[in-house]
Amino acid sequence: MIQWKEEMTIKANIEKVWELFSDKNIKKIMPKVEEHKLVEKMEGEVGAKHQQKYREGKRVETYIVETLAYEDYESKKLKEIAFVLGNAFEITLTFTLVKVDDMHTKFIYEGQNKGVNFVGRAMLKLSSQKNNNQVVQKFMELVEQESMRSTY
């Protein structure tokens, strides 16, 4: 199993950063997601389910993303999701935003990637922690860049 927890302060209002995690903007921070559509409940509800299509090279994976936790308060926002990718990896991601002041937001990104079968576990053992850290950092930098754009 691979786990991570990273944080950074973004020079943007918490509401502007939070907007990137909405259904309509998710592709801006997750460019490999080709499709993201609601299939059960409502956006922002615990238990909401979305069908996602994710491209990795020539391969497209389709899976269901479930919202496990959702908080939308003035000074704190949280979204936790989980999905199984390729019948091999169980992935849980948590995005937490904490208002520092009107123009600064603390962004905490944590998650885990767990192999659900022999192939998944073997692939995780062969993957490097360094590579995973690069993926996490790249995602956080993309959220920061998109947050600082004037419009979406």
Side-chain angles (χ1 to χ4, degrees), residues 18-36:
W18 185 236
E19 201 172 314
L20 289 169
F21 293 91
S22 69
D23 286 357
K24 68 179 182 180
N25 291 318
I26 204 73
K27 292 179 189 177
K28 292 182 187 305
I29 56 172
M30 297 179 182
K32 291 184 179 183
V33 171
E34 292 192 342
E35 185 179 284
H36 180 81

Side-chain angles (χ1 to χ4, degrees), residues 48-83:
K49 292 185 180 174
H50 292 79
Q51 178 180 294
Q52 269 190 2
K53 289 189 178 180
Y54 175 89
R55 177 175 296 279
E56 188 63 58
K58 292 181 180 179
R59 203 175 75 231
V60 176
E61 291 282 344
T62 302
Y63 49 89
I64 299 295
V65 177
E66 183 174 1
T67 302
L68 302 179
Y70 191 92
E71 295 177 15
D72 186 359
Y73 301 109
E74 189 179 319
S75 61
K76 182 184 177 201
K77 315 223 180 247
L78 179 140
K79 185 175 190 179
E80 183 176 352
I81 59 173
F83 55 97

Side-chain angles (χ1 to χ4, degrees), residues 11-141:
K11 291 180 187 173
N13 182 280
I14 190 170
E15 295 298 335
K16 189 168 186 187
V17 182
W18 185 236
E19 201 172 314
L20 289 169
F21 293 91
S22 69
D23 286 357
K24 68 179 182 180
N25 291 318
I26 204 73
K27 292 179 189 177
K28 292 182 187 305
I29 56 172
M30 297 179 182
K32 291 184 179 183
V33 171
E34 292 192 342
E35 185 179 284
H36 180 81
K37 66 181 183 184
L38 186 65
V39 293
E40 197 173 301
K41 293 199 174 194
M42 300 287 292
E43 178 181 9
E45 266 189 292
V46 171
K49 292 185 180 174
H50 292 79
Q51 178 180 294
Q52 269 190 2
K53 289 189 178 180
Y54 175 89
R55 177 175 296 279
E56 188 63 58
K58 292 181 180 179
R59 203 175 75 231
V60 176
E61 291 282 344
T62 302
Y63 49 89
I64 299 295
V65 177
E66 183 174 1
T67 302
L68 302 179
Y70 191 92
E71 295 177 15
D72 186 359
Y73 301 109
E74 189 179 319
S75 61
K76 182 184 177 201
K77 315 223 180 247
L78 179 140
K79 185 175 190 179
E80 183 176 352
I81 59 173
F83 55 97
V84 175
L85 183 61
N87 295 321
F89 307 104
E90 185 179 292
I91 301 168
T92 305
L93 306 173
T94 305
F95 314 104
T96 306
L97 303 177
V98 178
K99 181 177 180 175
V100 176
D101 59 35
D102 285 345
M103 289 309 303
H104 295 88
T105 303
K106 183 189 285 190
F107 172 37
I108 305 162
Y109 176 39
E110 53 192 310
Q112 69 176 25
N113 186 344
K114 189 165 63 175
V116 294
N117 58 23
F118 176 77
V119 173
R121 288 189 296 273
M123 287 176 72
L124 284 179
K125 282 185 179 170
L126 294 173
S127 71
S128 74
Q129 187 68 40
K130 182 182 176 192
N131 186 46
N132 186 65
N133 289 343
Q134 287 174 336
V135 171
V136 169
Q137 289 304 318
K138 189 174 177 185
F139 174 73
M140 293 185 76
E141 288 166 11

